[in-house]
């Protein structure tokens, strides 16, 4: 076979050296919030990773973990709005859930293995309502062992999966509403069970699957969650939420639309409307005179409608805790 002519080799080398076309990068999303309707089977970290790609930025975080089994409202901060997430994390929350009475599991939800199986067909509605009432209001709750709570710097669920026995301390939580919507008789591998649909409004840090566990334990039959959907976090509800599939339909040459920071702040904080001079002072990190704002965090909105800062009362002045529009 004759050798390849030098001119042909140079042409081949030239083609090999040509840079591959670079796919256009989606424009970076503006600073703001996305309210995502988390799908079942996804971790909160999975959602954040997907939003990072959609928003073309690594500066993405979430306010309040949802278990993989759960669906519903997950508030995502993009860009500078991640600094607002701390004011969302502590907000109260609404859930709809289904509690299965008759089976307790290692994780207090359907993801775990059954550890208790008891015929629950004898449970009376009056007893159910009484024990639901006992779990309403200010209560001490022992979080589920398979949770994101840190024990000596490591997540509790990681210790459990490593085979350790994890005993978490009870802590105060507030359950403002624990309402029974429906009770249905059913079967779990031939065992008579009761499926109880409930609605829960609770403080941050409350575990709905721990409520299911404690309800079943109080009734003497065991219990766990078979379904959980978060319908509200603070001022953010399902009506504002978008699915990841929906967000993925954003044209490649357009930034994913977000809720502007001022609107996001209005949903979680009381608001101080600023004059030009007050907006300027806060942008320099200076304090301003208080009006009738509470001592806690307040969203300071400038005359142009932008979020200037989150302020708090310190002494006799309102001073910026976080400045979003520096001078």
């Amino acid at each position: 076979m004759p050798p390849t002519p030098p001119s042909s080799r140079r042409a081949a080398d030239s083609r090999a050296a040509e840079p591959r076309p670079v796919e256009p990068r989606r424009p970076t999303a503006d600073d703001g919030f996305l309210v995502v309707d988390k799908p079942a089977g996804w971790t909160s970290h999975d959602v954040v990773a997907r939003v990072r790609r959609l928003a073309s930025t690594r500066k993405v975080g979430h306010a309040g973990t949802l278990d993989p089994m759960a669906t519903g409202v997950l508030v995502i901060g993009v860009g500078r709005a991640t600094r607002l997430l701390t004011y969302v994390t502590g907000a109260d929350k609404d859930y709809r859930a289904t509690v299965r009475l008759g089976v307790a599991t290692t994780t207090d939800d359907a993801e775990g293995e059954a550890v208790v199986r008891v015929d629950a067909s004898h449970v009376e509605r009056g007893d159910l309502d009484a024990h639901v009432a006992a779990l309403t209001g200010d209560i001490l709750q022992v979080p589920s062992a398979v949770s994101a709570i840190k024990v000596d710097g490591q997540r509790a669920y990681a210790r459990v999966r490593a085979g350790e026995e994890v005993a978490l301390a009870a802590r105060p939580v507030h359950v403002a509403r624990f309402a029974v919507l429906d009770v249905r008789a059913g079967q779990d591998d031939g065992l008579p069970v009761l499926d109880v649909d409930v609605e829960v409004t609770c403080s941050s840090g409350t575990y709905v699957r721990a409520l299911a566990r404690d309800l079943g334990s109080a009734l003497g039959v065991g219990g766990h969650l078979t379904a959980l959907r978060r319908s509200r976090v603070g001022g953010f509800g399902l009506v504002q939420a978008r699915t990841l599939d929906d967000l993925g339909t954003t044209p490649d040459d357009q930034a994913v639309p977000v809720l502007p920071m001022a609107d996001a702040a209005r949903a979680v904080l009381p608001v101080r409307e600023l004059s030009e001079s007050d907006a300027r002072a806060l942008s320099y990190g200076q304090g301003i005179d208080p009006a009738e704002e509470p001592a806690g965090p307040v969203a300071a909105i400038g005359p142009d409608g932008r979020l200037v800062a989150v302020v708090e009362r310190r002494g006799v002045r309102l001073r910026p805790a976080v400045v979003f529009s520096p001078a």
Side-chain angles (χ1 to χ4, degrees):
M1 181 175 180
T4 304
S7 59
S8 298
R9 288 200 301 270
R10 285 196 297 272
D13 291 343
S14 175
R15 287 194 298 271
E18 290 177 359
R20 295 180 180 178
V22 178
E23 294 184 5
R25 182 174 181 269
R26 185 193 297 276
T28 300
D30 292 336
D31 301 325
F33 277 7
L34 283 171
V35 184
V36 174
D37 187 347
K38 188 189 86 65
W42 287 57
T43 67
S44 299
H45 180 75
D46 291 337
V47 175
V48 167
R50 176 65 174 142
V51 172
R52 281 179 176 146
R53 293 192 293 273
L54 290 170
S56 294
T57 178
R58 291 202 55 79
K59 200 169 184 181
V60 176
H62 69 80
T65 301
L66 272 177
D67 294 331
M69 185 190 82
T71 66
V73 174
L74 186 66
V75 180
I76 303 289
V78 177
R80 291 182 301 155
T82 54
R83 302 177 73 189
L84 271 177
L85 291 174
T86 186
Y87 302 105
V88 182
T89 303
D92 63 341
K93 301 168 177 67
D94 287 342
Y95 295 91
R96 292 197 67 162
T98 300
V99 179
R100 175 157 293 178
L101 295 176
V103 180
T105 71
T106 53
T107 58
D108 303 329
D109 63 19
E111 299 289 316
E113 298 179 1
V115 291
V116 172
R117 292 177 57 82
V118 177
D119 183 341
S121 60
H122 66 279
V123 173
E124 298 287 343
R125 178 61 187 263
D127 291 335
L128 172 63
D129 289 341
H131 287 295
V132 164
L135 289 168
T136 304
D138 294 320
I139 63 173
L140 287 175
Q141 183 184 74
V142 176
S144 298
V146 182
S147 67
I149 293 173
K150 286 189 175 181
V151 179
D152 296 331
Q154 190 175 7
R155 301 291 185 186
Y157 63 74
R159 290 181 174 274
V160 171
R161 289 168 184 166
E164 295 184 34
E165 290 286 336
V166 175
L168 299 175
R171 56 185 186 175
V173 297
H174 182 72
V175 180
R177 182 168 182 261
F178 192 178
V180 176
L181 304 180
D182 188 32
V183 181
R184 303 181 304 280
Q187 298 275 323
D188 188 309
D189 287 339
L191 177 76
V193 297
L194 292 180
D195 284 333
V196 184
D197 295 333
V198 300
E199 285 185 342
V200 176
T201 298
C202 56
S203 62
S204 177
T206 305
Y207 284 83
V208 180
R209 53 197 166 104
L211 290 176
R213 174 201 66 203
D214 293 345
L215 179 61
S217 178
L219 289 165
V221 296
H224 72 282
L225 282 186
T226 59
L228 181 65
R229 183 161 177 76
R230 188 155 69 191
S231 55
R232 182 183 63 85
V233 176
F236 305 101
L238 285 170
V239 68
Q240 300 148 292
R242 300 180 64 186
T243 65
L244 291 172
D245 286 343
D246 183 27
L247 290 169
T249 64
T250 305
D252 291 340
D253 61 348
Q254 296 180 20
V256 170
V258 299
L259 183 69
M261 286 204 298
D263 294 341
R266 289 180 187 275
V268 292
L269 295 172
V271 172
R272 167 73 176 267
E273 303 287 353
L274 301 173
S275 65
E276 287 282 2
S277 59
D278 284 346
R280 189 179 311 110
L282 289 176
S283 71
Y284 280 103
Q286 300 169 357
I288 61 175
D289 291 332
E292 297 179 357
E293 289 83 14
V298 173
I301 309 292
D304 59 359
R306 290 188 302 171
L307 177 65
V308 176
V310 173
V311 298
E312 296 177 351
R313 190 186 296 265
R314 297 177 188 167
V316 297
R317 304 279 278 172
L318 282 178
R319 297 192 179 277
V322 185
V323 175
F324 292 98
S325 298

